[in-house]
Amino acid sequence: MRIKFVLLYLLFFLFMLSCNGQEKSATPISTKNDKVESSLTDNFNKTSNLYFDSEKKLVFSSSIIKELGKFTVYYIPKSKQEINYYQNFEKSNHIIPLYDEENSLNYYSATDQKKIDKIIKERVKSEKDFKIIGTFIPKNFITIENAEEYNLNFPYLQKYYQKENGKWIYLSEKKIINAEDEISSNSKNNLLSISTEKKDLQKQDIQYSLNGTWQVDCKTGAGNISITDKEASLTLLYNQVYIDMKELKRYDFEKGIAYTLKEIPEDIGNIGRDLNWNEYINNEPIAYLKMIDDNTMYFYWYGFYNKKSKKREFKESSFQQESKTKEIILKKCSP
């Protein structure tokens, strides 16, 4: 399945597909070898020209960064006044769309597109008036043929984000199967529903707790972790290394908690005495716990982060030795 980048004045219908599967796109292709931003979501801010979809009554911007993938930003009006404005956008601004008979879709002249871009950029300066949703498609689903043409191949993975207080927050991801699925997944109603579902989930996630004692096997396991509110005690290596950790950050969307080393431990054996404890006291995560349900969770051990060498050390734990699977699953053994 091919989605083509064509003439600039046909750009605004990013997600309107013709019967032969072709799509006019507003996506400029970056051919510069610019340094890739360390944070993926920073690239949503690189989108420049704004377009208006007269069918969806929706403002959007899109770009492709060759090293990363395709970034699209949607501006969905919140207030009744803003919704009405975009419902009558063309009439209010004396813009008349043209019609492409070959592909059965509307488009704007180059002059009108410049006018649209200027009007909308001024309008969206007040971000609080919009729900701002971003979508990202990784580069491995995109084939760039030249500076004016690219292909998206079904099925592909699309990730959804929302901008809140200047920061991009991950919402969810979805596999897009075909053209019909693509249109539905990028509709205004679907974008709004994803945002609403995320907020409802966040309200529920605030209530979750990992408090208790957890082990691979409650009867025979030597390794264990005991959690009380924002602190945890971990038997990292039985009879050798016992550590206390403190909560570093919560990832409520998946009920996960990252921990860092709280202090240099006192209860250590011969192996523990040879470790670089002074270098391990920092704000880097050493463990991550992700709740499955009230009685089971995933445990991920990253190892201590040596702030001097900038490398991970002591990457093994008792849980890894006891687990029969690659992913460590702990059971709640006591409240």
Side-chain angles (χ1 to χ4, degrees):
M1 187 69 183
R2 307 181 72 192
I3 303 175
K4 293 212 170 184
F5 177 94
V6 291
L7 299 177
L8 180 61
Y9 62 86
L10 297 178
L11 293 177
F12 79 99
F13 270 98
L14 181 60
F15 297 107
M16 293 290 293
L17 301 177
S18 66
C19 59
N20 64 355
Q22 292 185 318
E23 174 188 347
K24 303 293 181 180
S25 169
T27 308
I29 296 178
S30 173
T31 58
K32 297 181 180 179
N33 294 320
D34 296 331
K35 184 178 180 180
V36 177
E37 293 288 341
S38 58
S39 173
L40 177 70
T41 55
D42 285 347
N43 293 284
F44 283 118
N45 302 322
K46 291 184 177 181
T47 57
S48 55
N49 293 335
L50 290 170
Y51 302 91
F52 180 70
D53 185 332
S54 63
E55 292 293 324
K56 299 177 184 177
K57 308 301 180 184
L58 198 61
V59 173
F60 70 93
S61 182
S62 189
S63 66
I64 284 183
I65 298 176
K66 291 176 65 176
E67 301 86 354
L68 295 175
K70 181 179 180 182
F71 297 83
T72 304
V73 179
Y74 298 93
Y75 297 82
I76 305 175
K78 292 180 180 179
S79 68
K80 185 176 181 180
Q81 180 181 352
E82 285 296 307
I83 292 172
N84 288 337
Y85 173 78
Y86 289 103
Q87 287 292 329
N88 299 284
F89 178 81
E90 293 161 322
K91 182 178 180 180
S92 299
N93 293 287
H94 308 290
I95 295 171
I96 301 175
L98 305 175
Y99 185 70
D100 176 11
E101 293 185 0
E102 182 179 352
N103 293 286
S104 302
L105 54 81
N106 294 330
Y107 67 96
Y108 299 114
S109 68
T111 300
D112 278 347
Q113 179 50 52
K114 289 181 180 179
K115 181 179 179 181
I116 290 169
D117 180 54
K118 184 178 180 180
I119 293 170
I120 295 177
K121 278 182 178 175
E122 188 63 31
R123 197 89 182 184
V124 301
K125 283 183 179 179
S126 179
E127 292 189 349
K128 62 181 176 57
D129 294 331
F130 299 87
K131 277 193 175 182
I132 305 177
I133 308 296
T135 64
F136 168 66
I137 303 171
K139 66 175 182 179
N140 51 300
F141 298 105
I142 304 171
T143 302
I144 299 176
E145 297 185 358
N146 53 56
E148 295 183 348
E149 189 172 320
Y150 70 90
N151 299 325
L152 289 179
N153 301 305
F154 297 115
Y156 63 79
L157 183 70
Q158 181 162 274
K159 298 185 178 184
Y160 297 85
Y161 299 81
Q162 181 168 352
K163 192 174 186 181
E164 295 182 352
N165 300 319
K167 295 182 179 180
W168 288 96
I169 310 299
Y170 173 81
L171 297 177
S172 62
E173 62 183 48
K174 182 182 179 182
K175 180 182 284 188
I176 308 298
I177 306 298
N178 51 37
E180 183 178 346
D181 189 24
E182 179 181 57
I183 293 173
S184 173
S185 299
N186 292 300
S187 68
K188 184 190 296 185
N189 287 340
N190 187 64
L191 294 172
L192 286 172
S193 68
I194 291 173
S195 173
T196 302
E197 287 170 4
K198 172 65 176 178
K199 289 186 179 296
D200 291 342
L201 181 60
Q202 286 177 328
K203 291 177 182 178
Q204 298 171 11
D205 287 343
I206 293 173
Q207 303 172 11
Y208 73 89
S209 171
L210 299 181
N211 284 357
T213 300
W214 305 75
Q215 295 177 272
V216 171
D217 189 309
C218 294
K219 294 182 179 180
T220 63
N224 74 79
I225 182 170
S226 180
I227 303 170
T228 303
D229 298 329
K230 293 190 175 184
E231 296 190 352
S233 297
L234 172 65
T235 302
L236 184 59
L237 189 61
Y238 181 72
N239 206 31
Q240 289 292 329
V241 183
Y242 300 83
I243 63 172
D244 290 327
M245 304 185 297
K246 60 183 180 180
E247 186 175 307
L248 180 64
K249 185 176 181 181
R250 286 194 169 226
Y251 297 83
D252 291 334
F253 72 91
E254 63 176 5
K255 297 183 179 179
I257 305 176
Y259 290 88
T260 188
L261 185 64
K262 179 182 177 183
E263 58 193 4
I264 296 175
E266 295 180 359
D267 191 3
I268 52 178
N270 293 329
I271 295 176
R273 294 190 186 96
D274 294 331
L275 298 179
N276 300 309
W277 293 109
N278 287 326
E279 306 301 334
Y280 298 159
I281 301 296
N282 52 63
N283 287 324
E284 292 294 328
I286 59 174
Y288 185 68
L289 310 180
K290 187 168 71 172
M291 192 173 185
I292 300 173
D293 55 44
D294 291 341
N295 296 304
T296 53
M297 70 177 178
Y298 290 111
F299 175 88
Y300 302 92
W301 175 250
Y302 303 144
F304 297 116
Y305 181 78
N306 189 316
K307 61 186 177 183
K308 187 174 182 180
S309 66
K310 302 187 184 304
K311 294 181 179 180
R312 295 282 177 180
E313 298 175 0
F314 208 86
K315 299 180 181 179
E316 295 295 321
S317 72
S318 291
F319 290 146
Q320 288 165 294
Q321 297 170 5
E322 297 171 14
S323 178
K324 296 180 181 179
T325 60
K326 186 175 181 179
E327 287 193 311
I328 298 171
I329 298 178
L330 302 183
K331 301 174 183 177
K332 192 171 187 177
C333 300
S334 65

